[in-house]
Amino acid sequence: MIGSIAALGAGLAVIGAGIGIGQVGGKAMEGISRQPEAASKIQTAMIIAAALIEGAALFGVVVSFLGLR
Amino acid sequence: MYLSHILNSKKIALSLILGVFLTFISCKTFAIQHEEHAVAAEETNTEKEFSPSEVILEHIADSHSWHLWGHTTVPLPVILYTDQGIEMFSSAHFEHGHADYPGKYYTYRLVKDKIAIVGPGEELTAGANMLNMHKKLIDLSITKNVVSMWISLVLLLIIFLSVSAAYKKRAGKAPKGLQSFMEPIILFVRDDIARPNIGYKYQRFMPLLLTVFFFIWINNLIGLVPFFPGGSNLTGNIAVTFVLSVITLIIVNVNGNKYYWKHIFAPDVPVWLYPIMWPVELVGIISKPFALMIRLFANITAGHIIVLSLISLIFVFKSVAIAPVSVAFVVFMDVLELLVAALQAFIFTLLTALFIGTAIEEHHH
Amino acid sequence: MELVTPEIGLVFWTTVSFLVLFFLLGKFAWKPIMGAIDDRERSIEDALLKAEAAKEEMSRLTNENEVLLKQARAERDLILSEAKKIKDQIVADAKEAAHKEGARQIELARVEINNQKAIAMADVKNQVAQLSIQVAEKILQNQLQDQQKQDELVSQLLKEVKL
């Protein structure tokens, strides 16, 4: 039961992270298309932001680990 | 032709890889949910049934012996710090958990690859962990992860001592061989991680950042190798990431200047808000390295879990036909993990540099 | 829960190993490597600065050379033009002198010719005079041998005389 609830929580976390990373990626693409010469800088910043959001999502994963066993 | 032109563009190819990478981040999480269900299912099934979650958890967990192939395992030394004294013996005595070992002070048993004390009435006393230190038994064994870490240490030392020797031998000349492979990475750490985030005082922190970066990276890579001497899940073990983040925590706070501490203890808010601000700021001190710890641990563990669960699919469906699909996905995930291995090392080092940078920042905004 | 609980053993060994690694790499790898990289960068920077300075020096020298060259060229032109002037002068002088000499020679020649002509003329005149006298003598001798003819002549002469 706890496992299922944890799984639901992890799923919710993924929704948030998905939206967040989608926003980051989309805006980065927009930025790159607007200023192709700044692409490398934008990419670096995007990867960092994506990794940070991913970290937040992985907190959800860790919570789901807590339910294991 | 048009398509190939698109794929030829480095930027677009990179964005493509990144896009796929971002797509699969969510997949990792779903895979773990899948594991959850598998665990639930496993509880009701018979023991002989193949249980992916059990296999996966066994693979990503630490172990007292190193399984090489088939029935060949290397027993590793067990070092126990008990309230009576220190005990040392080979883990071969446990016979993979089938036998108890009567030590000098207590009788020990391997339960789920963890050592527990067997009392006189068959009652088990588990060893201490970070959440509960006050136990009779502290397990300081040389486990699979420790051995793997020492292999990585030796590798790092061989690589960088030879590189440093090359610098001495070829002083003032252009780099060559391994040296020329490592130099751009070292310069990357210096110019893209340390300098922009720490500022002009970056030189003092370069050894730490470089050590952390290469330690995490090489252990991530070793973790990707599925057979000996790889196969351990070192950077996906919370103990390792815990140590790394504690080091970050210590370095950041030891180097924090008066502005840093003023920001924490005397922020620009009305005085009556201080009692609220202090706990918030203190939690902030802890939570930043905590996020580092969880991020690295969860990323690497999630990567291992998804690869293992893709492999498990073959055994779940009990069909060789599924193998090509499974292997294709595993190869794809492994390539992705190769990127993640470098990326997580980069992120960890970058955030460490960033935290150090905020702690030693001179001017106050 | 087990997965997210750090094990003391691994924490202990990681701490020890990482610190050892940090110490060893810091002492024997990062220090020399960073030192070497910094040194090389500094030397490259130095070399670049020197190259820049050398370039400046070069351009300065080139400028100087150019100025010198220009001066030399101007001097050469001056010298050449002067030489040309002198040459022209000399040629003109020579021409004039030659002219004068020629004219003088011609004049002398003419005078000489005139002199010679005059002498020759005088000579010819004398000879003609003598010849005509001789002729006249002979004619007269011949004619005057006959009395009649003498009378005739006299009368003719007398006729011719106009008073």
Side-chain angles (χ1 to χ4, degrees):
Chain A
M1 187 62 193
I2 292 170
S4 322
I5 294 167
L8 276 178
L12 287 173
V14 169
I15 292 174
I19 293 170
I21 292 177
Q23 288 270 336
V24 170
K27 297 286 179 194
M29 296 293 163
E30 258 175 46
I32 291 173
S33 63
R34 204 168 292 154
Q35 264 179 302
E37 68 275 3
S40 60
K41 274 188 180 173
I42 294 173
Q43 266 165 3
T44 316
M46 175 181 73
I47 290 172
I48 294 168
L52 290 173
I53 296 169
E54 190 200 26
L58 289 167
F59 277 111
V61 176
V62 171
V63 171
S64 80
F65 282 156
L66 287 175
L68 280 179
R69 286 196 196 176
Chain B
M1 201 179 114
Y2 182 54
L3 205 71
S4 76
H5 163 71
I6 285 181
L7 286 175
N8 278 341
S9 162
K10 200 173 138 200
K11 282 168 196 163
I12 292 172
L14 258 177
S15 324
L16 207 70
I17 291 170
L18 207 79
V20 174
F21 158 62
L22 295 178
T23 323
F24 267 79
I25 289 165
S26 39
C27 288
K28 283 184 193 169
T29 346
F30 280 119
I32 284 140
Q33 277 179 279
H34 166 76
E35 292 314 313
E36 287 282 295
H37 294 301
V39 169
E42 185 240 344
E43 277 163 7
T44 55
N45 282 359
T46 53
E47 258 196 24
K48 281 287 141 191
E49 193 81 11
F50 173 75
S51 145
S53 68
E54 210 165 77
V55 171
I56 290 168
L57 286 177
E58 190 195 312
H59 270 89
I60 59 174
D62 206 354
S63 170
H64 281 286
S65 58
W66 199 325
H67 178 245
L68 296 187
W69 56 78
H71 291 291
T72 317
T73 48
V74 178
L76 297 168
V78 174
I79 303 169
L80 299 174
Y81 182 83
T82 65
D83 53 352
Q84 309 278 326
I86 292 173
E87 287 223 46
M88 273 198 216
F89 55 92
S90 163
S91 73
H93 293 296
F94 286 124
E95 292 166 20
H96 305 297
H98 297 305
D100 291 353
Y101 175 74
K104 259 186 286 178
Y105 312 113
Y106 299 102
T107 305
Y108 306 102
R109 181 181 291 172
L110 210 55
V111 185
K112 285 183 180 169
D113 239 330
K114 296 262 189 301
I115 292 168
I117 295 171
V118 186
E122 276 295 302
E123 80 271 18
L124 292 173
T125 316
N129 58 30
M130 290 303 276
L131 300 180
N132 188 357
M133 299 276 276
H134 300 291
K135 288 277 176 77
K136 283 191 278 188
L137 172 74
I138 294 175
D139 185 358
L140 297 178
S141 305
I142 311 297
T143 56
K144 182 178 160 186
N145 277 341
V146 176
V147 175
S148 165
M149 179 161 59
W150 287 350
I151 292 172
S152 77
L153 246 62
V154 170
L155 268 177
L156 281 172
L157 285 173
I158 289 172
I159 291 171
F160 287 106
L161 292 185
S162 69
V163 166
S164 130
Y167 272 106
K168 260 182 216 146
K169 207 169 66 188
R170 301 173 50 77
K173 285 188 198 151
K176 197 179 155 194
L178 184 66
Q179 189 193 3
S180 64
F181 177 75
M182 284 302 166
E183 182 170 321
I185 305 171
I186 294 171
L187 288 182
F188 169 76
V189 173
R190 191 190 68 177
D191 296 340
D192 287 343
I193 296 178
R195 214 180 257 170
N197 292 307
I198 298 180
Y200 69 98
K201 279 189 268 184
Y202 74 94
Q203 228 138 11
R204 203 147 58 88
F205 301 99
M206 276 308 287
L208 176 81
L209 295 177
L210 284 167
T211 312
V212 165
F213 181 81
F214 284 106
F215 180 79
I216 294 175
W217 194 23
I218 203 158
N219 278 308
N220 286 349
L221 291 178
I222 287 175
L224 288 182
V225 180
F227 43 81
F228 184 83
S232 60
N233 182 25
L234 187 66
T235 39
N237 191 303
I238 197 136
V240 176
T241 61
F242 171 76
V243 171
L244 291 173
S245 56
V246 165
I247 288 169
T248 300
L249 175 77
I250 293 170
I251 293 287
V252 167
N253 288 295
V254 163
N255 285 295
N257 60 15
K258 59 181 175 185
Y259 301 111
Y260 173 75
W261 292 113
K262 181 187 174 290
H263 185 77
I264 288 167
F265 288 111
D268 296 329
V269 291
V271 175
W272 59 269
L273 272 175
Y274 281 5
I276 303 167
M277 289 305 285
W278 286 345
V280 170
E281 292 288 351
L282 289 175
V283 166
I285 293 176
I286 303 292
S287 75
K288 282 191 270 182
F290 185 77
L292 276 185
M293 167 176 90
I294 295 297
R295 182 177 298 110
L296 183 58
F297 155 72
N299 258 294
I300 305 305
T301 303
H304 280 245
I305 285 174
I306 188 148
V307 167
L308 288 167
S309 42
L310 283 169
I311 291 288
S312 297
L313 283 181
I314 302 169
F315 302 100
V316 169
F317 286 105
K318 294 196 180 76
S319 151
V320 187
I322 206 88
V325 183
S326 195
V327 167
F329 271 104
V330 166
V331 168
F332 176 75
M333 279 312 298
D334 272 339
V335 173
L336 210 63
E337 286 302 309
L338 220 53
L339 174 71
V340 170
L343 191 65
Q344 288 308 319
F346 167 61
I347 292 280
F348 196 103
T349 321
L350 179 87
L351 290 176
T352 302
L354 200 69
F355 297 156
I356 294 172
T358 52
I360 65 165
E361 203 173 23
E362 284 290 332
H363 62 92
H364 199 253
H365 49 86
Chain C
M1 196 62 203
E2 216 168 77
L3 206 55
V4 287
T5 312
E7 287 158 48
I8 294 172
L10 197 51
V11 167
F12 171 74
W13 287 117
T14 310
T15 313
V16 170
S17 311
F18 188 84
L19 291 180
V20 167
L21 179 76
F22 178 56
F23 173 75
L24 286 179
L25 283 184
K27 189 143 197 240
F28 299 111
W30 304 137
K31 216 170 159 190
I33 289 175
M34 295 312 290
I37 289 177
D38 282 350
D39 278 355
R40 203 177 52 210
E41 262 168 19
R42 219 169 294 130
S43 81
I44 288 172
E45 208 161 302
D46 272 6
L48 281 178
L49 281 177
K50 266 181 202 154
E52 192 66 30
K55 215 167 111 191
E56 235 155 67
E57 180 74 17
M58 273 295 286
S59 78
R60 200 177 61 76
L61 281 177
T62 317
N63 272 348
E64 225 162 67
N65 274 354
E66 212 138 278
V67 167
L68 278 178
L69 213 66
K70 222 178 251 173
Q71 268 179 7
R73 214 170 276 158
E75 222 158 273
R76 189 199 64 186
D77 285 354
L78 196 74
I79 290 169
L80 273 181
S81 73
E82 238 159 61
K84 197 160 180 277
K85 225 186 270 171
I86 290 169
K87 184 200 79 178
D88 286 353
Q89 182 74 41
I90 289 169
V91 168
D93 284 359
K95 253 186 199 165
E96 209 177 330
H99 234 266
K100 268 185 190 161
E101 181 66 21
R104 202 175 59 85
Q105 296 279 351
I106 290 167
E107 195 60 31
L108 276 177
R110 197 184 293 144
V111 169
E112 184 68 17
I113 289 167
N114 283 347
N115 287 347
Q116 293 295 330
K117 210 167 102 185
I119 292 167
M121 285 299 276
D123 200 23
V124 168
K125 268 178 191 168
N126 280 344
Q127 281 186 13
V128 168
Q130 274 175 355
L131 213 62
S132 38
I133 288 168
Q134 279 171 1
V135 170
E137 241 174 42
K138 285 205 177 128
I139 292 170
L140 281 175
Q141 271 168 1
N142 267 349
Q143 287 205 339
L144 292 177
Q145 278 167 349
D146 185 355
Q147 194 65 46
Q148 194 196 340
K149 273 187 186 175
Q150 279 184 12
D151 292 343
E152 229 170 271
L153 184 61
V154 169
S155 68
Q156 194 188 340
L157 282 173
L158 283 175
K159 249 193 250 171
E160 272 173 20
V161 173
K162 290 166 192 167
L163 295 170

